[in-house]
Amino acid sequence: SHADFTRTGVFGHSMGGEASPLAAQGALRRGGYGLRAMLASHSWFVGQDSLDAVKSLDGIATMFTSCQNDGNKAVIGKAAFESCTGRPNVFANLVNGSHMEPIQGGRNNAFDARFLACTVADHQPSCDAIFTDRSAPSNMCNKQDYVECDIVAQ
């Protein structure tokens, strides 16, 4: 078994979530990394650089996750989602929860993993769980309690 660097993804949580758009932007500019996806989990987005970076993520899939009780991070994450040029693009803001939801409940962890499996590895069952018809019970937006769950397809 070996690493396939023709199919890569960037993931970060908290301050790493703020850095993930910057890392993705850098990889796209340099080329040769096979970048296919970027996931920003509960991002701080305190710097303008990261918010600017999301505007240059053409050609890769993007996902932004947050929780209702995570201060203003959901509002800023939604703004990043709305200005992001990556497609498909997902925003998932869970009801309740906290900044450390991934280790204190983990309600969205399976969908984070499925997003990366779909967009990086072309794993069709994972794609179906995220991008299936929005009205389908199996769509991720119908599997958890979200304040908001928004999916922009290709």
Side-chain angles (χ1 to χ4, degrees):
S1 155
H2 69 283
D4 180 357
F5 288 101
T6 65
R7 298 169 167 269
T8 63
V10 173
F11 169 85
H13 174 78
S14 190
M15 291 182 84
E18 179 176 10
S20 58
L22 293 168
Q25 179 188 46
L28 289 170
R29 283 184 180 163
R30 285 181 202 85
Y33 291 97
L35 187 66
R36 300 187 65 178
M38 184 279 312
L39 196 160
S41 167
H42 303 262
S43 302
W44 278 52
F45 287 124
V46 294
Q48 188 62 41
D49 290 348
S50 291
L51 293 172
D52 290 341
V54 301
K55 298 173 186 173
S56 63
L57 300 182
D58 297 352
I60 66 168
T62 52
M63 183 173 187
F64 300 85
T65 63
S66 62
C67 281
Q68 180 180 21
N69 298 336
D70 196 7
N72 69 343
K73 292 168 190 64
V75 172
I76 297 169
K78 176 67 175 185
F81 162 81
E82 289 175 340
S83 63
C84 185
T85 57
R87 295 293 181 268
N89 187 12
V90 178
F91 177 73
N93 181 17
L94 287 161
V95 169
N96 298 320
S98 70
H99 186 67
M100 297 308 293
E101 171 68 25
I103 63 169
Q104 297 171 341
R107 293 173 291 160
N108 219 49
N109 292 356
F111 293 110
D112 291 353
R114 285 183 173 274
F115 171 80
L116 291 171
C118 169
T119 58
V120 175
D122 291 330
H123 184 253
Q124 192 58 49
S126 293
C127 295
D128 293 345
I130 304 290
F131 300 111
T132 190
D133 179 359
R134 184 64 190 268
S135 63
S138 59
N139 181 281
M140 75 170 275
C141 293
N142 298 322
K143 289 291 193 178
Q144 296 291 342
D145 289 330
Y146 291 102
V147 174
E148 186 172 6
C149 184
D150 197 0
I151 300 172
V152 178
Q154 299 290 355

